[in-house]
Amino acid sequence: MKQKILIIEDHEGVAIAIEHQLQLIGSFHVDQSRNVVQALKRFSSAHKHPYDAVLCDYDLGESTNGQQLLEYLRAEKRIPRRTGFIMITAEASYSSVASAVELAPDAYLLKPFTQAGLAQRLEFVLEKRKALKAVYGALDLASPDLAAAIAACNALVVAGDRFALEALKIKADCLIRQEQWGEAANVYDKIIAWRPTPWAEVGRARTLRLMGYPELAEEKLKSTLSSFPQFVAAYDEMASLESDRGETVRAQEILEQAHAIVPSNRRSRALGLMALENGDHEKASRFLKIVTQRDRHGLLRSTEDFFGLANALRQMNCHDQAMEVLDSITQHFPESRPLMVRKMAAEAITLVAANRGFDAKKRVRDALELLTEQMAPQAQLELAEACHRCGEVKRGNEIFIHVAENWQENAAVVLQTKAVMARTGAGAEAASIIDESLRELTKTNNEAARHMKAGHFDDAVNDMQKVAKRLLSHATIQANYVQALLKWVEHNAPQNLMSLPQHSRPRQHLALAREHLQQLAKIKADHPRLPPLQRLLVKLTGETDILKPAADDHASLDEACTMEIGE
């Protein structure tokens, strides 16, 4: 099969000339795209048989340049790691483009280039793709196999492959993702001893920060910036270091220095949201406007850009402008219930600030009609805040309690809930109500757990039924309810279980167990109690296609997890 190459070039004559050169170099299947939209359609249609390489012009003659397209493709996994990416750029802009970007293409091709130059770059990229095939294959999986990727990297290093340095870089990144900070540090030390590079120095600083040595990390970063003042990844890491210390104003200043070097969309967004957190609303609006207006194709936009910008404008008392931004959201993103709830909640808060209370309450009522119990917590919390600001305190507290109970095990959601409650000015009252509710929830769950241990399965089922149908996003509650149901069936059902009528109690308990087991899988697909619960259900029913247990998990229910919630 011919190797596939995509040319992304807005000038037809140039694209045709490049394709002609490619056909003289070798036998390739070549496609062309004139713009970003056409390119994305090509990538989608080539999903099953991805391109081997992409030749992309940096200046595409529109608001999205080649570097921004590359960042989007990698971040959204629209192309696999094994697809090589060659950036074509004018020599005059090469130094500013190549020296600063944090996500570099596999190779650059400077204009004007010869057929020999094109052939050399293409050969390099295709050889790299071949050498790192096993590494990329492991990382391109839906759930990346980091251990396999590390093993493949080790093999390349041992063999002394020409791409051993790239293999070490990938290995270090995999180790960081596995939270093996010390092992990653050793790899970076090996790279620096072999060939000092700014990305390795920054990587070593990152491991120092993650291992809890901020002073050493700062020293390493200052040294790196002294030698490579244009390397923006060092500024980003320094900003992360300051954020970890709680010095978010200093972190913002550092990000502004990086933004002056490379004003990427990711950095503009980070700056805008950090400025918003710091109360620097003027800069928040400035940087978030850049993000929302830069890309007319919408590739790099996020709903957070618009909500953040509207928030900054509202804080600056620019209420009409804030409403315009919120109104434009549905022009850029597909409508969905969570998005519309968030939009209406933000509009309500803005209308209250503009002394338009009647209109604000109407927005809240409309949002409440769209609200569902399993909607993402962020949308629910924002609506709860809008309820409070519109005087619907009771309804707002009900939403706060619902979120706090359902996502009790999610530390980030708990912190977000407390932050939103604090913003409403009714934090103490709402917190007291929530604390009491969580105490009752914990008491009910733990009583059921004790009934289970004592073999009182009727009592356990009755206790868990009170909360399981209400708390569909609470993993431990769902797991406990399923376990109580299945243990009841195991203890009480006759031998001919599956011959009983569907309306019989054992069969009804099995149906409920299936339903809530699927809910548990939806909440947390890798929950440790899923496999043993699945195996028990299969044992009782003989139906092996209910849910596939993890093949490598043999834990018993008792080994997998305690049923009780800490009091």
Side-chain angles (χ1 to χ4, degrees):
M1 183 182 292
K2 292 182 178 180
Q3 290 179 305
K4 296 173 60 178
I5 297 176
L6 175 64
I7 301 169
I8 307 175
E9 167 60 65
D10 57 325
H11 294 291
E12 182 178 6
V14 175
I16 291 173
I18 294 173
E19 180 172 353
H20 178 67
Q21 288 183 324
L22 287 172
Q23 300 301 359
L24 293 175
I25 292 169
S27 181
F28 301 107
H29 174 91
V30 181
D31 290 324
Q32 295 183 23
S33 294
R34 293 286 169 269
N35 54 48
V36 168
V37 173
Q38 289 182 13
L40 291 177
K41 289 180 180 178
R42 289 284 191 186
F43 289 128
S44 295
S45 62
H47 178 70
K48 291 185 178 180
H49 302 286
Y51 287 99
D52 296 282
V54 175
L55 292 165
C56 180
D57 192 26
Y58 177 81
D59 183 4
L60 294 174
E62 49 190 26
S63 54
T64 304
N65 62 40
Q67 179 63 32
Q68 291 169 340
L69 175 60
L70 171 60
E71 291 176 9
Y72 169 79
L73 293 172
R74 295 297 191 205
E76 299 298 319
K77 297 185 178 179
R78 296 294 297 271
I79 59 173
R81 292 282 294 264
R82 63 182 182 273
T83 294
F85 202 100
I86 300 175
M87 191 76 72
I88 302 173
T89 182
E91 187 170 4
S93 61
Y94 168 73
S95 59
S96 61
V97 172
S99 65
V101 296
E102 52 268 56
L103 179 62
D106 295 284
Y108 287 95
L109 186 60
L110 301 187
K111 298 177 181 178
F113 53 85
T114 63
Q115 180 182 318
L118 173 59
Q120 183 185 42
R121 293 293 188 279
L122 187 59
E123 180 183 14
F124 170 82
V125 167
L126 294 177
E127 280 188 15
K128 178 182 177 182
R129 178 180 183 276
K130 182 178 179 181
L132 295 169
K133 181 179 179 180
V135 178
Y136 292 154
L139 295 176
D140 282 335
L141 295 172
S143 297
D145 189 339
L146 300 178
I150 290 171
C153 288
N154 288 337
L156 288 171
V157 174
V158 170
D161 191 272
R162 83 181 274 202
F163 297 104
L165 186 63
E166 181 67 18
L168 285 172
K169 182 179 182 180
I170 295 172
K171 177 183 177 179
D173 180 64
C174 290
L175 288 168
I176 286 178
R177 291 167 68 178
Q178 289 183 328
E179 299 187 2
Q180 297 186 43
W181 321 131
E183 290 296 317
N186 291 337
V187 174
Y188 284 123
D189 285 339
K190 183 182 294 185
I191 295 170
I192 293 167
W194 180 8
R195 185 185 303 172
T197 59
W199 56 261
E201 297 283 356
V202 171
R204 186 66 177 91
R206 182 176 299 119
T207 61
L208 287 168
R209 173 174 64 85
L210 294 170
M211 288 190 293
Y213 301 107
E215 293 79 11
L216 294 176
E218 182 177 11
E219 183 180 332
K220 172 69 73 174
L221 290 169
K222 286 181 177 179
S223 174
T224 303
L225 286 171
S226 175
S227 302
F228 305 97
Q230 295 292 105
F231 194 68
V232 291
Y235 291 94
D236 290 342
E237 182 59 29
M238 184 74 85
S240 296
L241 181 65
E242 294 296 347
S243 290
D244 287 351
R245 291 168 165 169
E247 299 291 341
T248 54
V249 173
R250 175 60 182 147
Q252 179 183 328
E253 293 172 353
I254 293 170
L255 276 183
E256 288 181 37
Q257 295 176 48
H259 191 272
I261 301 170
V262 181
S264 69
N265 239 56
R266 181 186 64 81
R267 194 165 289 105
S268 297
R269 175 178 296 117
L271 253 177
L273 296 178
M274 185 172 288
L276 188 61
E277 180 184 342
N278 290 336
D280 189 346
H281 302 126
E282 188 277 325
K283 285 186 178 176
S285 65
R286 185 202 314 169
F287 288 114
L288 290 173
K289 277 180 183 177
I290 291 173
V291 182
T292 57
Q293 297 173 2
R294 175 181 285 156
D295 174 24
R296 67 185 178 91
H297 295 300
L299 294 182
L300 310 171
R301 289 174 180 157
S302 162
T303 54
E304 299 313 307
D305 305 333
F306 289 82
F307 285 118
L309 176 56
N311 188 359
L313 290 168
R314 181 176 70 248
Q315 300 288 354
M316 297 166 65
N317 294 320
C318 301
H319 303 127
D320 290 342
Q321 292 180 44
M323 291 296 289
E324 288 174 8
V325 170
L326 292 169
D327 187 57
S328 71
I329 287 177
T330 50
Q331 299 172 21
H332 302 291
F333 303 96
E335 289 188 22
S336 66
R337 275 178 175 255
L339 179 63
M340 294 308 296
V341 167
R342 293 189 65 196
K343 176 177 178 289
M344 291 175 184
E347 288 173 340
I349 293 171
T350 303
L351 289 167
V352 168
N355 296 315
R356 294 171 57 186
F358 179 82
D359 293 331
K361 288 185 177 181
K362 184 178 185 306
R363 292 293 203 287
V364 165
R365 287 195 297 270
D366 291 342
L368 287 170
E369 289 183 4
L370 294 176
L371 183 66
T372 62
E373 290 187 346
Q374 295 184 66
M375 189 171 286
Q378 182 175 22
Q380 297 201 49
L381 290 173
E382 290 172 4
L383 180 53
E385 179 179 0
C387 286
H388 266 267
R389 295 191 185 280
C390 290
E392 301 287 344
V393 175
K394 182 180 178 181
R395 187 68 182 97
N397 285 345
E398 288 173 354
I399 298 173
F400 280 139
I401 291 170
H402 176 76
V403 172
E405 289 183 339
N406 269 274
W407 284 274
Q408 180 189 18
E409 300 172 305
N410 188 317
V413 174
V414 171
L415 286 174
Q416 187 181 13
T417 303
K418 291 179 178 178
V420 176
M421 287 193 302
R423 284 205 303 267
T424 65
E429 178 188 356
S432 176
I433 297 171
I434 288 171
D435 287 343
E436 178 60 29
S437 176
L438 291 177
R439 277 193 295 270
E440 286 299 314
L441 167 63
T442 300
K443 179 181 176 182
T444 300
N445 177 83
N446 292 351
E447 283 180 355
R450 288 188 281 272
H451 286 314
M452 284 285 294
K453 291 175 182 177
H456 302 153
F457 301 118
D458 271 303
D459 292 333
V461 168
N462 291 335
D463 284 346
M464 293 310 304
Q465 190 174 31
K466 297 174 186 176
V467 292
K469 292 184 177 180
R470 178 165 56 88
L471 304 180
L472 292 172
S473 296
H474 196 302
T476 297
I477 295 294
Q478 294 302 310
N480 287 351
Y481 186 39
V482 173
Q483 185 168 338
L485 288 164
L486 294 179
K487 283 295 186 180
W488 185 97
V489 173
E490 185 179 44
H491 184 73
N492 293 288
Q495 292 290 329
N496 62 338
L497 170 63
M498 299 309 290
S499 300
L500 295 176
Q502 292 283 354
H503 64 267
S504 67
R505 193 176 182 191
R507 293 296 297 274
Q508 287 181 339
H509 276 13
L510 283 177
L512 284 170
R514 284 192 190 91
E515 177 186 337
H516 287 269
L517 193 58
Q518 289 170 344
Q519 182 63 24
L520 175 61
K522 182 179 177 182
I523 300 167
K524 189 171 176 59
D526 60 349
H527 195 283
R529 290 172 66 189
L530 259 179
L533 287 171
Q534 290 168 352
R535 284 195 293 274
L536 180 54
L537 182 54
V538 169
K539 174 187 172 183
L540 292 171
T541 63
E543 299 172 359
T544 58
D545 61 343
I546 297 165
L547 284 169
K548 291 186 178 180
D552 60 346
D553 187 295
H554 303 288
S556 69
L557 279 174
D558 293 334
E559 294 169 337
C561 180
T562 178
M563 292 178 64
E564 295 194 25
I565 299 173
E567 297 189 48

